[in-house]
Amino acid sequence: MSVPDERIFDAYLADLVPRPRASSTVLSTTHTTSFSGYRPDEQVVVSVVVPTRNEAANIEPLLRRLDSALAGLPSEVIFVDDSDDDTPEIVMALRHSVRMRVRVHHRPAPYRAGGLGGAVTEGIRLCRADYAVVLDGDLQHPPEVVPELLAAAVSGDVDVVIGSRYVTGGSASGLANGVRRLVSSGANLLSRLAFPLRLRGVSDVMSGFFLVRIAALDLDRLRPDGYKILLELLVRTGRLRVVEVGYVFGERHAGESNASVSEGVRFARRLFSLRMPRAARFALVGASGTLPNIFGTAFLHHAGMHYMAAAVVATQLAILWNFIGCDLLVWERGSQSRIRRYLPFALLNNLDLVIRLPLLGLFVDRWHTSVPAATLVTLTIAVSVRYVLVDRIIYSECRRPVRNPFRYSRGAAAGAVGEVEA
């Protein structure tokens, strides 16, 4: 894309942003110094959302670079923290050493719904500015590019500005190895094939570095699950005006990457669920579950078991098959344990035997239908009722947002953070 017109951007800032009060105190590298920061009544121009998980060693250089990149611009940084180390304490200790406002929203272990994507969504809800920039806490996303994203949004009148590794000026050199580069480009390609219209013109769907105009989003429609929230935003939100700005993806500064095989599986599951409606996914899983049910019933009946008993036994295998499929591909799983979801799922699926077995007997004994054909017909009748019951009884709880009662919030003074809200 073309470089944003700096005159438009400067005029925007001149109209919107009062200049910050100058401070006579100079940053010291040997101790933290308290700054008065911006006036409490000043409007924040940009909020930076940083999801963190055990990034203690990266916090200080990240804050220093962000503060330098956004110097002269009223801004805030919100750390949405899922750490088990002392990351939030380090943020709190360093917050007075920078001019920008610093806030921490810590999510204890039971309240980390949606993974990194859930953290980003919660962070955007907390933003005071009209624009939110999302970047990782490992310094692979250069803070110095944040003003470029904001300038592109303001001068281009767009809703989303994506930091892309695959346009002019961009590079994915910071990816650890060839395997990660292959996985990243492969996931990017799959996403664009799955949504050719929605993602038209987007070169880096997998980017975790982007700016959004918050008013353009419908956060209540999002169902984040995993570490790729941009795909969710672009697909679930209405038509968004999108541009891209190239950036060089750097090497991780410290700590370990959160990317893993499980996150890759989580992404694949999320892509599938975004592409196919839930009822269709349920029907697909249910259709696949007819195979163990039909063949299991036929095999046991052929082996000498009465067809009624064979149907009951084969149904247990099909129930397990369907549960695994539904849990992976159909519903959000929430924080409930798998066994707590399986027991009512199995109970409801066994209850439909009350309907299916008399129908099965009617088809086989009265109308002399073959056992496999009768099994298929009765399963088809039961599947719609089962969908409604499972959706309303078992997984409805998983769709309710999990509230986090433990969060650091801003104090009365600008930039003061640390009180815990009940």
Side-chain angles (χ1 to χ4, degrees), residues 89-103:
E89 288 76 17
I90 290 176
V91 175
M92 299 291 286
L94 292 171
R95 72 188 189 278
H96 290 306
S97 69
V98 294
R99 294 174 176 85
M100 65 193 310
R101 299 167 181 170
V102 180
R103 302 162 67 191

Side-chain angles (χ1 to χ4, degrees), residues 42-122:
E42 282 185 321
Q43 182 174 352
V44 177
V45 174
V46 61
S47 299
V48 180
V49 177
V50 184
T52 52
R53 182 174 175 82
N54 301 335
E55 299 285 3
N58 295 318
I59 297 303
E60 183 170 4
L62 175 61
L63 275 176
R64 304 285 185 197
R65 289 174 62 181
L66 269 174
D67 195 48
S68 176
L70 297 174
L73 190 66
S75 54
E76 66 175 354
V77 56
I78 302 171
F79 290 89
V80 186
D81 184 67
D82 288 356
S83 298
D84 299 312
D85 65 0
D86 56 353
T87 295
E89 288 76 17
I90 290 176
V91 175
M92 299 291 286
L94 292 171
R95 72 188 189 278
H96 290 306
S97 69
V98 294
R99 294 174 176 85
M100 65 193 310
R101 299 167 181 170
V102 180
R103 302 162 67 191
V104 180
H105 177 68
H106 180 65
R107 307 197 308 171
Y111 300 95
R112 296 171 185 169
L116 186 145
V120 170
T121 305
E122 289 190 34

Side-chain angles (χ1 to χ4, degrees), residues 42-380:
E42 282 185 321
Q43 182 174 352
V44 177
V45 174
V46 61
S47 299
V48 180
V49 177
V50 184
T52 52
R53 182 174 175 82
N54 301 335
E55 299 285 3
N58 295 318
I59 297 303
E60 183 170 4
L62 175 61
L63 275 176
R64 304 285 185 197
R65 289 174 62 181
L66 269 174
D67 195 48
S68 176
L70 297 174
L73 190 66
S75 54
E76 66 175 354
V77 56
I78 302 171
F79 290 89
V80 186
D81 184 67
D82 288 356
S83 298
D84 299 312
D85 65 0
D86 56 353
T87 295
E89 288 76 17
I90 290 176
V91 175
M92 299 291 286
L94 292 171
R95 72 188 189 278
H96 290 306
S97 69
V98 294
R99 294 174 176 85
M100 65 193 310
R101 299 167 181 170
V102 180
R103 302 162 67 191
V104 180
H105 177 68
H106 180 65
R107 307 197 308 171
Y111 300 95
R112 296 171 185 169
L116 186 145
V120 170
T121 305
E122 289 190 34
I124 293 175
R125 290 184 185 278
L126 295 173
C127 292
R128 296 190 187 93
D130 292 333
Y131 295 100
V133 173
V134 177
L135 58 80
D136 290 346
D138 55 13
L139 294 174
Q140 291 188 291
H141 300 149
E144 293 76 15
V145 179
V146 171
E148 294 183 40
L149 303 183
L150 182 60
V154 173
S155 63
D157 190 26
V158 298
D159 302 314
V160 181
V161 182
I162 300 172
S164 174
R165 296 163 289 184
Y166 307 117
V167 296
T168 302
S171 170
S173 58
L175 288 172
N177 51 52
V179 173
R180 284 201 63 189
R181 284 191 287 272
L182 181 62
V183 170
S184 177
S185 58
N188 197 42
L189 177 61
L190 282 176
S191 300
R192 293 164 65 188
L193 289 174
F195 297 96
L197 296 180
R198 282 294 178 95
L199 301 180
R200 183 171 51 192
V202 178
S203 69
D204 197 352
V205 185
M206 297 296 101
S207 179
F209 186 26
F210 57 90
L211 174 147
V212 294
R213 186 172 65 86
I214 298 175
L217 305 180
D218 184 356
L219 295 176
D220 291 334
R221 294 191 62 187
L222 302 182
R223 296 291 183 270
D225 183 15
Y227 70 112
K228 293 303 177 187
I229 184 62
L230 179 60
L231 174 64
E232 183 99 9
L233 285 170
L234 295 176
V235 171
R236 283 197 179 273
T237 308
R239 296 293 179 183
L240 296 170
R241 296 165 295 179
V242 181
V243 297
E244 294 185 312
V245 171
Y247 81 100
V248 177
F249 187 72
E251 295 183 0
R252 168 172 273 274
H253 179 265
E256 297 181 358
S257 172
N258 293 320
S260 63
V261 174
S262 63
E263 285 294 344
V265 172
R266 204 173 184 180
F267 165 75
R269 183 177 67 239
R270 198 67 193 141
L271 180 62
F272 179 71
S273 65
L274 287 170
R275 179 65 279 180
M276 185 173 290
R278 187 169 62 225
R281 281 176 271 142
F282 181 85
L284 181 64
V285 171
S288 68
T290 61
L291 297 178
N293 206 324
I294 293 171
F295 287 110
T297 302
F299 174 80
L300 293 173
H301 179 59
H302 182 74
M305 185 179 291
H306 189 274
Y307 71 85
M308 287 288 190
V312 172
V313 174
T315 294
Q316 307 314 307
L317 178 61
I319 287 172
L320 180 60
W321 174 285
N322 286 342
F323 173 75
I324 294 172
C326 287
D327 218 44
L328 287 175
L329 302 175
V330 180
W331 282 284
E332 294 87 7
R333 291 174 291 176
S335 58
Q336 291 180 337
S337 67
R338 185 170 282 108
I339 189 65
R340 288 189 62 184
R341 296 191 298 272
Y342 175 72
L343 291 177
F345 185 93
L347 178 61
L348 285 175
N349 279 267
N350 274 296
L351 284 177
D352 75 20
L353 286 172
V354 176
I355 300 173
R356 281 189 55 230
L357 290 181
L359 284 175
L360 188 63
L362 187 65
F363 276 97
V364 173
D365 295 334
R366 178 69 63 86
W367 296 325
H368 306 292
T369 308
S370 68
V371 171
T375 301
L376 177 60
V377 172
T378 57
L379 285 173
T380 302

